[in-house]
Amino acid sequence: MAQMTMIEAIREAHDVAMGADKRVVVYGEDVGFFGGVFRCTAGLQEKYGKSRCFDAPINESGIVGTAIGMAAYGLKPVIEIQFADYVYPAFDQIASEAARLRHRSNGDFTCPLVIRMPTGGGIFGGQTHSQSPEALFTHVSGLKVVLPSNPRDAKGLLLASIADPDPVIFLEPKRLYNGPFDGHHDKPIVSWKNHALGDVPDGDEIVPLGKAHTFREGSDVTVLAYGTMVYVAEAAAEETGVDAEIIDLRTLLPLDLEAITESVKKTGRCVIVHEATRTSGFGAELMSLVQESCFYHLEAPMIRVTGWDTPYPHAQEWEYFPGPGRVGEALRKVMED
């Protein structure tokens, strides 16, 4: 067990996977010599050589397209899109090729591909470096979508994703790379080095896809969250005194519906929190699933706390970011109904 930041845990997962399987190759923009814009691949090229960790041209469709070919050929590419905001030129390759390869070949080919992307805001990245596109990928049959909230899960989920025979979208909340964040941007930064979830197991221990984690037990209301919003929800619960049970989804596809329904049936109330825009966000799907599965157990209408239906603003970042104030207001309201 070692203390790590999320950056270090992701780097460690790459190292473990590359050391165990020569088919694992890592590449993307500035991924090789420089080690990635966030340093998640630092040192891998030096250790494994330029044929297994290398830089790619600034061409997202080309990066994803070549990776699909490598995966069909038998390699296991782990590629980095420098920011999730940059993935759109490659969406056709992801949705029409990677996600469909197993089905269109009747199982003759699979696509063991991992596409890593820093996601979300809270770093003053503005509208082109702060987007949260997870809902777009959950709509595509054939993909898995993973979104860790801490270093321990980041390493274990990435190892599970690399081992998976099908394509995985691996979204990394960039605001959590160096420490947990509760939404209070004016407070001192907390490091993972002093946090229990910064303890990362050695070796190749995986965190299975499709298993949520009860981040905080409670009896008043269930909060469904993922990524940075897990810590925002925790802060809101502590500040309001509402005994919230926080479910960290960890993977959106496959989704641990059993854990969700078990919690909602216990508490009778549900608040859903995500940073992405509200309309057609993943929270809408969660509301539908909870309504279908837990209708007779709900004691109040569900509430969503999300980003707004606008581009992510630079000057008003903290008005857009769903902070503990907005989440706390939702917790109080759902308890009054």
Side-chain angles (χ1 to χ4, degrees):
M1 193 82 73
Q3 283 274 329
M4 295 184 186
T5 66
M6 189 181 286
I7 290 171
E8 292 167 337
I10 290 167
R11 186 189 305 148
E12 173 78 4
H14 281 94
D15 190 13
V16 169
M18 295 176 79
D21 190 343
K22 292 183 178 180
R23 296 175 297 168
V24 178
V25 295
V26 176
Y27 67 101
E29 297 166 14
D30 297 320
V31 163
F33 178 79
F34 185 66
V37 67
F38 291 103
R39 312 298 289 162
C40 290
T41 56
L44 295 179
Q45 185 178 93
E46 182 179 2
K47 184 172 183 178
Y48 294 102
K50 293 181 180 180
S51 64
R52 295 192 61 203
C53 181
F54 53 91
D55 296 318
I58 302 174
N59 185 328
E60 285 76 19
S61 62
I63 294 169
V64 174
T66 55
I68 294 168
M70 290 180 183
Y73 183 75
L75 298 176
K76 304 182 79 172
V78 183
I79 60 174
E80 178 183 299
I81 303 298
Q82 198 168 84
F83 287 86
D85 315 60
Y86 301 167
V87 75
Y88 303 115
F91 196 81
D92 181 48
Q93 282 81 5
I94 295 170
S96 300
E97 303 296 338
R100 314 294 187 204
L101 188 58
R102 174 187 287 276
H103 299 274
R104 71 190 298 179
S105 69
N106 196 30
D108 288 341
F109 293 93
T110 60
C111 190
L113 162 66
V114 179
I115 304 175
R116 293 182 38 249
M117 293 181 277
T119 190
I123 65 164
F124 293 104
Q127 62 183 352
T128 59
H129 295 79
S130 304
Q131 296 174 57
S132 299
E134 63 272 9
L136 298 176
F137 297 106
T138 62
H139 190 67
V140 179
S141 300
L143 298 179
K144 295 181 173 70
V145 181
V146 179
L147 216 158
S149 68
N150 60 76
R152 185 183 189 119
D153 284 353
K155 179 183 176 183
L157 289 168
L158 183 52
L159 286 171
S161 299
I162 295 171
D164 198 276
D166 292 303
V168 178
I169 305 298
F170 196 89
L171 294 159
E172 301 161 8
K174 64 180 82 73
R175 193 59 179 80
L176 298 182
Y177 270 148
N178 290 302
F181 180 62
D182 65 4
H184 290 294
H185 62 280
D186 50 352
K187 287 184 177 180
I189 294 174
V190 178
S191 171
W192 286 118
K193 300 291 187 179
N194 303 310
H195 196 283
L197 290 173
D199 289 329
V200 178
D202 300 326
D204 59 355
E205 181 177 318
I206 70 166
V207 174
L209 305 184
K211 293 294 183 181
H213 170 62
T214 303
F215 182 84
R216 182 187 192 274
E217 293 189 355
S219 59
D220 288 345
V221 54
T222 296
V223 179
L224 304 180
Y226 49 90
T228 308
M229 292 301 111
V230 170
Y231 304 96
V232 174
E234 180 184 37
E238 293 174 354
E239 291 167 18
T240 59
V242 174
D243 189 19
E245 179 154 288
I246 301 171
I247 305 297
D248 180 358
L249 298 181
R250 299 201 289 197
T251 64
L252 308 187
L253 281 180
L255 182 69
D256 191 351
L257 186 57
E258 181 179 355
I260 293 171
T261 55
E262 181 180 343
S263 178
V264 174
K265 287 177 180 179
K266 179 179 76 171
T267 66
R269 292 175 170 84
C270 183
V271 170
I272 297 166
V273 188
H274 63 66
E275 191 178 343
T277 50
R278 183 179 182 86
T279 300
S280 300
F282 192 66
E285 178 67 18
L286 291 172
M287 290 187 83
S288 295
L289 290 170
V290 172
Q291 176 77 359
E292 291 170 0
S293 304
C294 305
F295 177 76
Y296 292 107
H297 294 83
L298 290 171
E299 299 178 19
M302 290 178 280
I303 299 177
R304 280 182 291 170
V305 185
T306 70
W308 306 116
D309 288 336
T310 69
Y312 214 119
H314 186 274
Q316 289 84 35
E317 179 156 26
W318 302 115
E319 281 68 37
Y320 183 100
F321 189 92
R326 286 171 57 196
V327 177
E329 182 181 352
L331 293 178
R332 286 189 289 264
K333 179 174 174 53
V334 80
M335 293 305 299
E336 292 169 358
D337 289 337

